[in-house]
Amino acid sequence: MNILHISGDYFNTPVYYQMLQHFSTSHSHMMYVPVTVDHKARYQHKHSRSNVQVICSRDFHKIDRWVYFRKQRKICDSLLNQIQIGPIDLIHTHYLFTAGGIAYRLKKTANTKYITAVRNADLNWFFRYAVHLRSFGLEILKGASKIIFISPSYRDQLVDRYVPASLRDNILEKAITMPNGVDDFWLRNRQERAAWQEGKTINLLYVGEFTKNKNIETIVKVTRILNTSGWKTHLKLIGDGPDRSRLQRLVNKNNAVVTMCGWIANKEDLLTEYRKADAFIMPSRTETFGLVFVEAMSQGLPIIYTKHQGIDGYFKEGTVGYGCDPLRPDEIAHKVVRIMENYSVISTSCVKSVDRFSWSAIDDGYEALYESVV
């Protein structure tokens, strides 16, 4: 079987490389990556597996992103100039609007089946703000053979908020929930933890980008609330991003209870930081999935996450941690206390729950999905 993948985000995250790395060699996979002309030198890449090919488009400019249908047309034309569609059995698009629109065009012209994923940008930007594109998004969903949701919460939000009642049964029949996989390193090095000792400092950990969306100011407020309430707490922030300077000023004002580190690329060093911590906290405003939650869970860290975002919906509340309203620091602080009061049970459950996020299991699921569609 010949599978054509389309994702403009291929070079920005290791998720797609790892996905392709774990597929069996029984199928051929081609990843098509739309990129801008000025990034030509950056995108020179060969995959390490013989059954995987990566091809880049270099036919549009930054300004094209503001004219959706023109950009879609240019990418589609470029793809057809570089790839023979005839031998392609199935198209797998990893975003609904930016990639699914291309597959929709190809189905119209070449009758090629496609499946599409729905991610953070699709739900929280395109459907929410690009009102003029909503009807086209629904057309893409209708044309797809299967619709992949990275989390159950995204499926429910899409159907409840944006899908007309007349289409809901059709969309739900095609809906598949498939998480992102975690690097095998974390599964090989999982570790259960000793019981948390009452009276010990609670070491909270955040790992990720320093952006407004990640809501780090609220985590700092949570740390202050816990200390004021008699729970001695320290927060460590690991990462980097456009908000680093502003957050550094906030950390300087709270340096008794907050420490900021730069980005840690080495997995062994990051493993050490996870093992020093007692709980992981990331109440993002929006989140497609958040693999750092799974990394933390592999080291026995209970997690605090945002309700209706990312990993929410994969576990019963209180099993591996707690969901929260990201704008209510008092509520989040209360959830941290609940974790500490039942620490051993939740921590043990975290370690036992990570196997479902192995790439081997997920790719087996994708291959079964491909077979069922074709």
Side-chain angles (χ1 to χ4, degrees):
M1 187 185 303
N2 296 312
I3 313 296
L4 172 62
H5 301 258
I6 306 176
S7 176
D9 206 32
Y10 177 81
F11 294 102
N12 298 322
T13 171
V15 164
Y16 304 110
Y17 180 89
Q18 292 174 9
M19 173 189 290
L20 295 171
Q21 190 73 7
H22 285 81
F23 277 125
S24 74
T25 56
S26 59
H27 302 317
S28 173
H29 297 272
M30 185 181 297
M31 174 63 76
Y32 191 74
V33 190
V35 297
T36 53
V37 174
D38 51 325
H39 286 161
K40 178 177 179 179
R42 175 181 171 190
Y43 301 122
Q44 303 294 329
H45 174 77
K46 280 190 174 182
H47 201 279
S48 61
R49 303 191 73 181
S50 60
N51 67 317
V52 176
Q53 185 179 6
V54 179
I55 299 176
C56 296
S57 154
R58 304 186 184 96
D59 296 282
F60 64 93
H61 297 263
K62 287 182 178 179
I63 195 171
D64 289 325
R65 68 181 298 186
W66 301 110
V67 188
Y68 175 82
F69 288 108
R70 183 176 73 176
K71 178 180 176 181
Q72 290 279 296
R73 185 178 64 253
K74 292 178 74 171
I75 295 173
C76 192
D77 290 344
S78 174
L79 186 153
L80 290 171
N81 285 332
Q82 295 175 270
I83 297 173
Q84 289 187 336
I85 291 298
I88 299 299
D89 298 298
L90 180 67
I91 301 173
H92 180 172
T93 74
H94 295 272
Y95 284 84
L96 178 67
F97 281 92
T98 57
I102 299 166
Y104 178 81
R105 286 174 176 270
L106 293 173
K107 182 178 181 180
K108 290 289 187 181
T109 59
N111 199 32
T112 308
K113 293 181 178 180
Y114 68 91
I115 62 176
T116 186
V118 176
R119 295 181 181 270
N120 183 22
D122 297 311
L123 186 64
N124 292 307
W125 196 91
F126 281 100
F127 268 115
R128 185 175 182 181
Y129 297 114
V131 179
H132 63 294
L133 295 178
R134 284 183 187 171
S135 61
F136 185 59
L138 293 174
E139 286 299 313
I140 300 171
L141 292 171
K142 287 164 61 179
S145 297
K146 293 290 183 180
I147 304 164
I148 302 162
F149 293 91
I150 309 303
S151 73
S153 61
Y154 271 27
R155 176 200 60 212
D156 297 342
Q157 287 183 67
L158 177 72
V159 171
D160 292 345
R161 295 179 184 178
Y162 302 112
V163 177
S166 59
L167 286 179
R168 287 178 184 172
D169 287 344
N170 174 268
I171 299 303
L172 288 171
E173 285 175 7
K174 298 190 290 187
I176 302 290
T177 301
M178 195 83 72
N180 289 330
V182 70
D183 192 303
D184 291 342
F185 171 86
W186 301 103
L187 301 180
R188 292 194 306 268
N189 292 282
R190 73 184 77 193
Q191 177 174 285
E192 295 193 13
R193 308 176 71 83
W196 183 78
Q197 297 178 352
E198 188 173 351
K200 175 179 173 286
T201 297
I202 302 172
N203 291 299
L204 298 178
L205 178 66
Y206 167 88
V207 178
E209 293 182 313
F210 292 163
T211 63
K212 184 177 181 180
N213 179 60
K214 295 299 185 178
N215 200 27
I216 296 172
E217 296 92 336
T218 295
I219 308 176
V220 175
K221 290 179 183 177
V222 169
T223 306
R224 291 203 304 258
I225 290 169
L226 287 167
N227 277 285
T228 301
S229 302
W231 294 86
K232 188 177 179 183
T233 307
H234 185 270
L235 169 65
K236 179 173 280 190
L237 306 172
I238 296 176
D240 206 348
D243 273 11
R244 182 184 178 94
S245 296
R246 183 175 60 83
L247 289 172
Q248 184 65 67
R249 292 192 292 272
L250 177 64
V251 169
N252 291 343
K253 295 178 181 178
N254 296 273
N255 57 13
V257 295
V258 183
T259 301
M260 177 186 283
C261 303
W263 190 256
I264 298 178
N266 183 280
K267 289 193 284 286
E268 295 283 356
D269 293 339
L270 188 55
L271 179 73
T272 299
E273 295 297 337
Y274 280 126
R275 290 179 176 178
K276 289 178 183 177
D278 297 306
F280 183 84
I281 182 168
M282 191 171 76
S284 306
R285 288 177 169 83
T286 64
E287 191 77 53
T288 293
F289 184 70
L291 281 172
V292 284
F293 288 119
V294 184
E295 294 175 5
M297 286 167 53
S298 75
Q299 303 309 304
L301 290 186
I303 58 175
I304 295 289
Y305 50 90
T306 302
K307 290 179 179 178
H308 312 305
Q309 295 290 329
I311 204 168
D312 185 32
Y314 277 104
F315 304 100
K316 183 179 178 181
E317 181 81 347
T319 303
V320 298
Y322 290 97
C324 64
D325 182 333
L327 302 181
R328 297 184 58 188
D330 288 330
E331 176 193 321
I332 300 172
H334 175 65
K335 296 294 178 66
V336 173
V337 172
R338 291 183 67 182
I339 283 174
M340 307 322 290
E341 290 175 341
N342 195 29
Y343 192 84
S344 294
V345 172
I346 297 176
S347 176
T348 299
S349 180
C350 286
V351 179
K352 292 180 178 179
S353 299
V354 294
D355 279 328
R356 68 187 300 179
F357 302 107
S358 73
W359 272 121
S360 296
I362 292 167
D363 279 356
D364 285 347
Y366 273 123
E367 296 208 13
L369 176 59
Y370 297 156
E371 296 285 350
S372 71
V373 170
V374 175

